[in-house]
Amino acid sequence: MKAETSEFCVNGERLVALLSGALFWPAKNTLIVSDLHFEKGSNFGARGVLLPPYDTRTTIRRLAVIMAEIKPERVISLGDAFHDRGAEARMDEDDADALAIMTGAAEWVWILGNHDPEPPVRFAGAVAEEMQSGALLFRHEPQPVPQPGEIAGHLHPVARVKAETRLIRRRCFATDGERLVMPAFGAYSGGLNVLDDAFAPIFTRVTCHVLGGTGVYPFTGAALVADPPNAVRIDRAAG
């Protein structure tokens, strides 16, 4: 893989964190993405929150680039691919066609999430609430009990870190070597600081592989900084 990636093991399996926020499992030639949140912009627009309506297209194009580069045999979407039950019907036809091409180009698995508890109608792929593959267990929401091998999304982890003379806040892969919480891939997805109480039942210690401008960088311990209370509330509202 290229220099902008970061490698680590979860439950003994070697995984590669990509700068895009996707995850690659080389042993199974599998690409994993989480929290695509298609049509979040149109959902907000219907409620009077005016956002540019191009988040779905941006997310699909980013995913298409990664698939063209890696050519995975399998893609696992870890839930909340669609922002609400009506998102699929609101998709632009060009965006839907592009997604249909991708779902036909690899074995595709839709893990159901809290935003999309029902399988998509227009797009190919297997559907599951969770899926075991080798030493890894794929589901949308991380469980608050020990779960070796769990790969989950839902919490949209971000890390606020001390980097040289400044603080930066970026999406991240959060792991303790036993389990992993993935960053949200969607263009309009918010984020929750890994030091928030929501992560306390999952990790007693955590390494954050942070998505920087040109690379993915690991940070632990004292390098991690909590958010001001107002920033946490804003991110929860955005997710």
Side-chain angles (χ1 to χ4, degrees), residues 6-17 23-27 32 78 132-138 147-152 173-182 202-203 205-207 209:
S6 181
E7 296 190 13
F8 49 83
C9 287
V10 172
N11 204 29
E13 291 289 341
R14 183 175 71 91
L15 302 172
V16 183
L23 183 72
F24 183 56
W25 186 9
I32 303 108
L78 286 183
Q132 184 82 44
S133 181
L136 301 181
L137 173 63
F138 298 93
Q147 297 281 318
E150 179 186 75
I151 309 291
F173 297 82
T175 183
D176 61 359
E178 291 294 318
R179 59 204 298 200
L180 170 71
V181 181
M182 288 188 53
I202 305 168
F203 301 119
R205 56 180 177 81
V206 65
T207 297
H209 295 264

Side-chain angles (χ1 to χ4, degrees), residues 5 8 37 47 49 51 54 61 118 131 141 149-150 158 162-164 185 192 218 237-238:
T5 64
F8 49 83
H37 283 277
R47 293 184 284 137
V49 181
L51 296 172
Y54 307 117
R61 287 179 175 176
E118 298 174 352
M131 185 185 78
E141 296 190 34
E150 179 186 75
V158 300
K162 298 175 182 177
E164 298 179 345
F185 191 88
L192 185 64

Side-chain angles (χ1 to χ4, degrees), residues 4 19-20 166 168-171 210-217:
E4 62 263 23
L19 184 56
S20 62
R166 63 194 181 103
I168 62 170
R169 191 178 191 279
R170 297 286 189 274
R171 293 179 299 148
V210 178
L211 309 181
T214 58
V216 184
Y217 307 101

Side-chain angles (χ1 to χ4, degrees), residues 18-89:
L18 307 180
L19 184 56
S20 62
L23 183 72
F24 183 56
W25 186 9
K28 300 290 187 179
N29 195 12
T30 294
L31 183 71
I32 303 108
V33 291
S34 188
D35 295 275
L36 301 169
H37 283 277
F38 293 138
E39 294 302 313
K40 182 173 182 176
S42 62
N43 175 285
F44 275 41
R47 293 184 284 137
V49 181
L50 300 182
L51 296 172
Y54 307 117
D55 54 307
T56 296
R57 182 161 302 176
T58 298
T59 300
I60 287 174
R61 287 179 175 176
R62 288 173 55 219
L63 184 54
V65 169
I66 299 164
M67 289 189 65
E69 179 179 343
I70 293 178
K71 297 179 174 59
E73 294 179 8
R74 178 173 61 177
V75 178
I76 301 174
S77 172
L78 286 183
D80 286 3
F82 300 89
H83 188 69
D84 59 76
R85 293 174 188 263
E88 189 177 351

Side-chain angles (χ1 to χ4, degrees), residues 90 95 164:
R90 295 197 308 274
D95 296 338
E164 298 179 345

